[in-house]
Amino acid sequence: MTTTDRRAALRTGAGLVAAGALTAACTSGGAVAHPEPAPAPSGTTPAPATSGRAPALPEPASPPHRFPGRPGQIAHGPRGHPRVALTFHGGGDPATAHALLTQAERHGARVTVLAVGSWLDAHPRLARRILDGGHELGNHTQHHLDVNALPEARAHAEIADCAHRLKRLTGSIGSWFRPSRAARASPLVERLAHRAGYPHLLSYDVDSLDFTGPGAPAVTRTVLDQVRPGSIVSLHFGYADTVAALPAVLEELDRRGLTAVTATELIR
């Protein structure tokens, strides 16, 4: 090959490279596309890019505990200790869940969330958000039907399906089961919950009635008029009244010397 031929070949090769780069730029909107890393789940710290090891998996959720001498359905804890449990039915707009969890954490409170399985299907990252905040997660059936009114097979499926979601998302079936649309389970539902792996069901002795939309002052008043050491309080995600009422509830609990802990911590 002559010098002239080599120069022509080089010019041709350079042209092909430039044309390839231009084609790549055009097909990616005018700039070469670079894949971005997937966002880390809320509340976690991404592993360093230089690490050659896989990031550690999050700790599994606490399994159900057995409390000898306690009934199958627990409505309150020991009355002789200055502790209460704020329990939330997990459903509705996830923004209210984030707001309520953040408020609790600012006051140093830990809560128990009884999650609906279909809600976890729609918002799976909330399971880890709850646990990573130091809170507790439990089972409130898969579809939030009137579980006491269902035939045995459907009632069992409601409990087992939600337990499966919790196990897949957190490594545990959850610390507690609470029946949907009822403060207490029927004898059949209690047996089915025990069969699914829950030694105790979580009831309550204080109903905030926040789901009726009475306004934040009424929610605050209802809770504080009834709460006492050992109380288990029923509240809900998904309601603006609850978000507005919680700071006043927590401040008054502090003033009374009552600490908000998880249901498991209350019963121990």
Short mmCIF file of all heavy atoms in Angstrom, two decimals, residues 24-50:
data_model
loop_
_atom_site.label_atom_id
_atom_site.label_comp_id
_atom_site.label_asym_id
_atom_site.label_seq_id
_atom_site.Cartn_x
_atom_site.Cartn_y
_atom_site.Cartn_z
N ALA A 24 -25.15 7.10 17.27
CA ALA A 24 -25.47 6.81 18.67
C ALA A 24 -26.08 8.02 19.34
O ALA A 24 -27.04 7.90 20.11
CB ALA A 24 -24.20 6.39 19.43
N ALA A 25 -25.55 9.20 19.07
CA ALA A 25 -26.09 10.42 19.68
C ALA A 25 -27.51 10.67 19.23
O ALA A 25 -28.37 11.05 20.01
CB ALA A 25 -25.19 11.61 19.34
N CYS A 26 -27.82 10.46 17.97
CA CYS A 26 -29.16 10.71 17.46
C CYS A 26 -30.17 9.74 18.06
O CYS A 26 -31.28 10.14 18.39
CB CYS A 26 -29.17 10.58 15.93
SG CYS A 26 -28.27 11.92 15.10
N THR A 27 -29.78 8.48 18.18
CA THR A 27 -30.73 7.51 18.70
C THR A 27 -30.95 7.65 20.18
O THR A 27 -31.87 7.08 20.73
CB THR A 27 -30.25 6.07 18.41
OG1 THR A 27 -28.96 5.88 18.98
CG2 THR A 27 -30.20 5.82 16.91
N SER A 28 -30.12 8.42 20.89
CA SER A 28 -30.31 8.62 22.33
C SER A 28 -30.70 10.04 22.64
O SER A 28 -30.47 10.54 23.72
CB SER A 28 -29.03 8.25 23.09
OG SER A 28 -27.97 9.10 22.68
N GLY A 29 -31.32 10.75 21.68
CA GLY A 29 -31.83 12.08 21.96
C GLY A 29 -30.78 13.15 21.92
O GLY A 29 -30.93 14.20 22.54
N GLY A 30 -29.66 12.91 21.22
CA GLY A 30 -28.65 13.96 21.09
C GLY A 30 -27.49 13.80 22.03
O GLY A 30 -26.57 14.58 22.03
N ALA A 31 -27.52 12.81 22.90
CA ALA A 31 -26.41 12.56 23.81
C ALA A 31 -26.31 11.08 24.03
O ALA A 31 -27.30 10.36 24.01
CB ALA A 31 -26.62 13.27 25.15
N VAL A 32 -25.09 10.61 24.24
CA VAL A 32 -24.89 9.19 24.47
C VAL A 32 -25.51 8.82 25.81
O VAL A 32 -25.23 9.45 26.83
CB VAL A 32 -23.39 8.85 24.46
CG1 VAL A 32 -23.18 7.37 24.74
CG2 VAL A 32 -22.79 9.22 23.11
N ALA A 33 -26.39 7.81 25.81
CA ALA A 33 -27.10 7.45 27.04
C ALA A 33 -26.21 6.63 27.94
O ALA A 33 -25.48 5.77 27.48
CB ALA A 33 -28.36 6.64 26.70
N HIS A 34 -26.28 6.90 29.25
CA HIS A 34 -25.57 6.12 30.25
C HIS A 34 -26.59 5.62 31.25
O HIS A 34 -27.35 6.42 31.80
CB HIS A 34 -24.52 6.97 30.98
CG HIS A 34 -23.42 7.43 30.07
ND1 HIS A 34 -22.38 6.63 29.71
CD2 HIS A 34 -23.22 8.62 29.44
CE1 HIS A 34 -21.56 7.31 28.90
NE2 HIS A 34 -22.07 8.51 28.72
N PRO A 35 -26.67 4.32 31.51
CA PRO A 35 -27.65 3.82 32.48
C PRO A 35 -27.35 4.37 33.86
O PRO A 35 -26.20 4.40 34.30
CB PRO A 35 -27.46 2.29 32.44
CG PRO A 35 -26.09 2.08 31.87
CD PRO A 35 -25.84 3.24 30.96
N GLU A 36 -28.40 4.82 34.56
CA GLU A 36 -28.26 5.34 35.91
C GLU A 36 -28.53 4.23 36.91
O GLU A 36 -29.35 3.35 36.66
CB GLU A 36 -29.22 6.50 36.14
CG GLU A 36 -28.92 7.71 35.28
CD GLU A 36 -29.83 8.87 35.59
OE1 GLU A 36 -30.67 8.72 36.48
OE2 GLU A 36 -29.70 9.90 34.94
N PRO A 37 -27.86 4.25 38.06
CA PRO A 37 -28.13 3.22 39.06
C PRO A 37 -29.54 3.34 39.59
O PRO A 37 -30.07 4.44 39.68
CB PRO A 37 -27.09 3.51 40.15
CG PRO A 37 -26.72 4.95 39.96
CD PRO A 37 -26.85 5.20 38.48
N ALA A 38 -30.14 2.20 39.92
CA ALA A 38 -31.49 2.24 40.50
C ALA A 38 -31.42 2.95 41.84
O ALA A 38 -30.46 2.81 42.60
CB ALA A 38 -32.00 0.81 40.69
N PRO A 39 -32.46 3.74 42.19
CA PRO A 39 -32.44 4.43 43.47
C PRO A 39 -32.47 3.45 44.62
O PRO A 39 -33.12 2.40 44.55
CB PRO A 39 -33.73 5.28 43.42
CG PRO A 39 -34.60 4.59 42.43
CD PRO A 39 -33.68 4.00 41.42
N ALA A 40 -31.75 3.79 45.69
CA ALA A 40 -31.75 2.94 46.87
C ALA A 40 -33.09 3.05 47.57
O ALA A 40 -33.71 4.10 47.56
CB ALA A 40 -30.63 3.38 47.84
N PRO A 41 -33.59 1.96 48.18
CA PRO A 41 -34.83 2.05 48.93
C PRO A 41 -34.73 3.11 50.02
O PRO A 41 -33.66 3.34 50.58
CB PRO A 41 -34.98 0.64 49.53
CG PRO A 41 -34.15 -0.23 48.66
CD PRO A 41 -33.02 0.63 48.17
N SER A 42 -35.86 3.73 50.33
CA SER A 42 -35.90 4.77 51.35
C SER A 42 -35.35 4.25 52.67
O SER A 42 -35.68 3.15 53.11
CB SER A 42 -37.35 5.23 51.56
OG SER A 42 -37.42 6.14 52.62
N GLY A 43 -34.50 5.07 53.31
CA GLY A 43 -33.97 4.72 54.61
C GLY A 43 -32.74 3.85 54.57
O GLY A 43 -32.26 3.41 55.60
N THR A 44 -32.22 3.53 53.38
CA THR A 44 -31.02 2.72 53.29
C THR A 44 -29.90 3.54 52.70
O THR A 44 -30.11 4.56 52.06
CB THR A 44 -31.26 1.48 52.41
OG1 THR A 44 -31.55 1.92 51.07
CG2 THR A 44 -32.41 0.64 52.92
N THR A 45 -28.67 3.08 52.95
CA THR A 45 -27.48 3.74 52.43
C THR A 45 -26.88 2.89 51.34
O THR A 45 -26.59 1.72 51.58
CB THR A 45 -26.45 3.95 53.56
OG1 THR A 45 -27.07 4.70 54.59
CG2 THR A 45 -25.22 4.67 53.03
N PRO A 46 -26.71 3.42 50.11
CA PRO A 46 -26.15 2.59 49.05
C PRO A 46 -24.74 2.12 49.39
O PRO A 46 -23.98 2.82 50.06
CB PRO A 46 -26.13 3.55 47.84
CG PRO A 46 -27.06 4.67 48.19
CD PRO A 46 -27.01 4.78 49.68
N ALA A 47 -24.39 0.94 48.94
CA ALA A 47 -23.04 0.44 49.15
C ALA A 47 -22.07 1.23 48.30
O ALA A 47 -22.42 1.71 47.22
CB ALA A 47 -22.97 -1.04 48.78
N PRO A 48 -20.82 1.44 48.76
CA PRO A 48 -19.85 2.17 47.96
C PRO A 48 -19.65 1.51 46.60
O PRO A 48 -19.67 0.28 46.48
CB PRO A 48 -18.56 2.09 48.80
CG PRO A 48 -19.02 1.78 50.19
CD PRO A 48 -20.27 0.99 50.05
N ALA A 49 -19.44 2.32 45.58
CA ALA A 49 -19.31 1.80 44.21
C ALA A 49 -18.09 0.91 44.07
O ALA A 49 -18.04 0.04 43.21
CB ALA A 49 -19.25 2.96 43.22
N THR A 50 -17.07 1.14 44.91
CA THR A 50 -15.83 0.37 44.78
C THR A 50 -15.90 -0.97 45.50
O THR A 50 -15.00 -1.78 45.39
CB THR A 50 -14.66 1.18 45.36
OG1 THR A 50 -14.96 1.52 46.71
CG2 THR A 50 -14.44 2.45 44.55
#
